[in-house]
Amino acid sequence: MKLGIIGLPGSGKSTVFKALTGGLQSAGRKGHSDPSVGVVKIHDERLIFLADFYKPKKITPAQVEYLDIAGMGESGAGNAIGDKTLAHIRPLDALIHCVPYFDSPLTGPADPLKGFNTVYEEMMLSDLISVEKRLERIEKEVRRGRKEAQREQELMRAAADLLNEGRPLALMPNINEIPEMKGYGFLSAKPQLVLLNAGESKSREAIQDVISHLKERVKGQPNLVFDWLYADAEAEIATLPEEDAKEFLGDLQLEEGAKDRIIRTSFGLLNLIVFLTAGEPEVRAWPLRKGKTALKAAGVIHSDIERGFIRAEVVAYDDFYAAGSHAAAQKAGKVRLEGKEYVVVDGDIMLFRFNV
């Protein structure tokens, strides 16, 4: 799962990056447009239990890759995003839109709605430019008699109409699943976590009031969730030992740090679950889109397993845990053989039988 942290210059993106990656500094850019990258391994008690049982040579948790993207809107609203920045954003699974809500001697009093709108509108402008360029080429292809281009032309015209109305492409039904459209990586169609970066002087009531106004601004837009954090404090907490971190979180009246919470929220935003594979060579967690079949889960591991799929041996983690072993779960009738159409459930422990 790849998530890009976007926002205005001075919005605290690098501090958010540090808070979410457990203390990593946002550094190492080769150029102004190159993002900093941080990889976070996802803590999963199920993986720990299975590793204790199997004593594998290798343990591989699911992970999140965060990219700290160069600041947007540096010349004000209405400017297109640079090609280099776009190249980093387009392949991402989702965006974390960092909205500043703190007073600064450089940027002045907090104006989160203005900050949000600047980036929101810049993403739509960037998409509109891409759509209009593609339309020019498609229209030439249609005039030459290329019939298969007509469907894409219709879709691009619909996208242009939506963007010209100041509405994001996320409102275009199933845009990310349409073969002619999903390869473009349109920014305003991407799932988005709007993350309010609040100063510690901002009360919970004030934060929730701002979030309510932001929700009203994008009312009806799908694949959009909201959260907040005190990034400065959480970035420091992220570097502390676990017990000290708990104490400081308690001082902030927070039950858990942003790092784990944002990962959980991101999984929900992307509709992801986790299935597990376990044995002496390796115990591993695999993210999978909810509702996908055993055949697609096999493909996540390797295309050869998907191609030669025969059956999947499945046991629910809770059944494995209650029985105490795979053999005991099998004796209790909890281990099943499932076909390619079986819909995978979060926590399924799977062994694939295949032949290529």
Side-chain angles (χ1 to χ4, degrees):
M1 181 167 65
K2 290 188 176 183
L3 305 176
I5 304 171
I6 64 170
L8 295 172
S11 61
K13 293 185 296 83
S14 295
T15 308
V16 168
F17 177 87
K18 184 178 178 182
L20 298 185
T21 57
L24 290 180
Q25 295 288 346
S26 182
R29 287 193 177 104
K30 295 179 181 178
H32 180 68
S33 299
D34 294 323
S36 295
V37 179
V39 177
V40 177
K41 295 179 179 179
I42 300 173
H43 178 79
D44 191 330
E45 291 290 343
R46 299 172 299 188
L47 204 66
I48 295 171
F49 177 83
L50 290 173
D52 285 343
F53 179 82
Y54 283 103
K55 303 294 190 295
K57 295 176 182 177
K58 187 177 181 182
I59 303 168
T60 307
Q63 63 184 35
V64 179
E65 186 174 316
Y66 290 106
L67 282 74
D68 180 11
I69 305 294
M72 297 181 180
E74 293 188 86
S75 300
N79 291 276
I81 299 167
D83 289 341
K84 287 185 178 180
T85 300
L86 279 174
H88 295 300
I89 297 177
R90 292 203 188 283
L92 297 173
D93 296 309
L95 302 175
I96 297 177
H97 182 172
C98 179
V99 178
Y101 184 39
F102 52 83
D103 302 328
S104 165
L106 296 176
T107 58
D111 192 346
L113 291 176
K114 180 181 178 181
F116 173 83
N117 283 329
T118 298
V119 174
Y120 189 72
E121 291 165 7
E122 192 172 341
M123 288 193 292
M124 287 189 286
L125 174 62
S126 178
D127 285 347
L128 181 59
I129 291 170
S130 296
V131 167
E132 289 177 340
K133 285 181 179 178
R134 182 57 186 154
L135 268 174
E136 288 179 11
R137 293 194 293 270
I138 293 174
E139 286 166 0
K140 291 178 182 177
E141 293 173 11
V142 171
R143 286 197 297 269
R144 293 185 189 123
R146 185 170 168 261
K147 293 183 179 180
E148 59 268 29
Q150 291 179 354
R151 168 62 174 162
E152 187 180 351
Q153 183 186 45
E154 292 172 3
L155 291 166
M156 286 294 179
R157 284 176 174 172
D161 289 343
L162 200 64
L163 292 164
N164 278 315
E165 293 170 2
R167 303 167 69 199
L169 292 182
L171 294 172
M172 197 168 174
N174 301 315
I175 184 171
N176 292 320
E177 305 301 325
I178 301 172
E180 295 89 347
M181 302 294 277
K182 65 181 182 181
Y184 290 99
F186 292 120
L187 274 60
S188 68
K190 286 189 177 295
Q192 190 176 151
L193 165 59
V194 180
L195 187 61
L196 195 65
N197 178 13
E200 289 182 55
S201 63
K202 306 300 181 184
S203 68
R204 305 297 172 85
E205 292 77 11
I207 289 168
Q208 292 304 323
D209 185 57
V210 169
I211 289 177
S212 295
H213 282 90
L214 290 171
K215 286 182 177 179
E216 187 64 29
R217 169 67 177 85
V218 293
K219 190 175 181 180
Q221 182 176 330
N223 298 322
L224 194 66
V225 296
F226 294 81
D227 211 322
W228 67 277
L229 80 170
Y230 293 131
D232 284 335
E234 295 248 19
E236 294 304 317
I237 290 171
T239 65
L240 299 174
E242 185 176 350
E243 287 303 314
D244 292 340
K246 286 181 179 179
E247 182 179 342
F248 277 92
L249 287 170
D251 291 342
L252 291 171
Q253 297 181 332
L254 296 172
E255 293 182 4
E256 64 176 339
K259 178 183 171 184
D260 292 332
R261 189 180 75 248
I262 297 305
I263 287 174
R264 189 168 60 250
T265 301
S266 299
F267 260 68
L269 173 63
L270 291 170
N271 206 23
L272 294 175
I273 61 171
V274 169
F275 72 92
L276 306 156
T277 54
E280 291 183 5
E282 183 181 25
V283 168
R284 182 161 181 166
W286 302 87
L288 180 72
R289 191 66 57 89
K290 187 177 181 181
K292 293 297 183 182
T293 63
L295 183 66
K296 294 300 181 184
V300 169
I301 298 174
H302 199 285
S303 58
D304 283 350
I305 302 178
E306 181 178 13
R307 183 162 52 89
F309 183 96
I310 299 173
R311 286 282 186 275
E313 187 177 282
V314 183
V315 57
Y317 170 81
D318 287 344
D319 290 334
F320 185 103
Y321 180 86
S325 71
H326 186 277
Q330 194 166 36
K331 188 175 181 180
K334 298 298 184 180
V335 178
R336 317 178 306 277
L337 287 178
E338 300 286 1
K340 61 177 66 176
E341 297 303 319
Y342 169 73
V343 177
V344 180
V345 176
D346 185 64
D348 275 349
I349 303 170
M350 307 185 75
L351 173 65
F352 294 97
R353 300 179 181 178
F354 67 101
N355 183 31
V356 292

